[in-house]
Amino acid sequence: MAKLVLLSQGLIGRTHELKVDTTTIGRVDDNTFPIAEPSVSSHHCEILRKGSDVVVRDLNSTNGTFINGEKISESVLNPGQILRLGQIEMRLETEEAAAPAAGKKAPDNTVVMQRGVSLTDLEAGAQKGFDTAGKGFSKKDNKGNKIFLLVAIVVGVVIVGLLLFAFATMK
């Protein structure tokens, strides 16, 4: 059985089996395969099963229908090819294409996801080198703020003195 496997962020792994002869794909719920994404038109395209072929027909979509990066109006979609509707990408898979040929190893499509820091890692952080001096966190020095405040007061006194001198000489 042929199926479409979504590859786009947020929809990865979602599939739709092509069980009927005509499958409509679009943003609204009356499609056979609705995809609620703004770049997909209300009625974007239809997938037709014609014997062993899977044919994609664009339904005058706003953002176009593409197979392996080439814009199409109607074209055969082969297993493994990438179908893009607006910003959404999906791949056609069949049982024959999914099963590796005898003697061949299936390609490893493993994606390594970076892991965040766990609470136990944070708690053990001081022992692992976060705090090399063994002092823990120290209070921030306020020396810079004190110097800035002192300079601002001196400049303010000088300006006031100049203004008083200017008024005194005008009389």
Side-chain angles (χ1 to χ4, degrees):
M1 172 78 50
K3 65 181 176 180
L4 295 170
V5 178
L6 288 162
L7 306 172
S8 297
Q9 191 71 354
L11 301 171
I12 294 174
R14 183 176 161 199
T15 63
H16 180 81
E17 288 189 13
L18 302 175
K19 297 177 183 177
V20 294
D21 289 337
T22 302
T23 300
T24 57
I25 302 176
R27 191 177 62 246
V28 294
D29 288 333
D30 67 349
N31 287 288
T32 314
F33 185 23
I35 301 174
E37 209 282 332
S39 68
V40 176
S41 293
S42 298
H43 297 96
H44 200 101
C45 70
E46 60 185 1
I47 310 290
L48 308 166
R49 287 188 4 201
K50 295 183 177 180
S52 62
D53 287 340
V54 175
V55 177
V56 180
R57 180 183 301 146
D58 184 74
L59 298 175
N60 296 320
S61 63
T62 303
N63 293 318
T65 301
F66 300 81
I67 295 179
N68 285 350
E70 292 186 33
K71 189 170 185 171
I72 58 106
S73 55
E74 184 171 331
S75 182
V76 172
L77 178 65
N78 294 313
Q81 288 186 318
I82 304 298
L83 173 64
R84 182 167 55 89
L85 312 177
Q87 298 298 315
I88 301 298
E89 290 188 337
M90 58 191 83
R91 180 179 52 240
L92 177 65
E93 291 184 359
T94 60
E95 291 172 3
E96 299 84 40
K104 285 189 178 181
K105 183 180 177 186
D108 184 12
N109 294 331
T110 303
V111 176
V112 177
M113 301 289 288
Q114 193 171 19
R115 181 176 74 90
V117 179
S118 70
L119 183 58
T120 54
D121 289 344
L122 287 175
E123 290 170 346
Q127 300 164 0
K128 293 182 180 180
F130 289 152
D131 181 16
T132 56
K135 293 186 238 176
F137 292 105
S138 63
K139 186 174 181 182
K140 183 180 175 185
D141 185 12
N142 246 352
K143 191 175 185 179
N145 289 343
K146 289 177 183 177
I147 293 172
F148 177 77
L149 186 58
L150 182 63
V151 170
I153 290 172
V154 170
V155 170
V157 169
V158 170
I159 291 173
V160 169
L162 289 173
L163 287 174
L164 289 175
F165 178 74
F167 283 126
T169 56
M170 285 181 15
K171 290 183 182 180

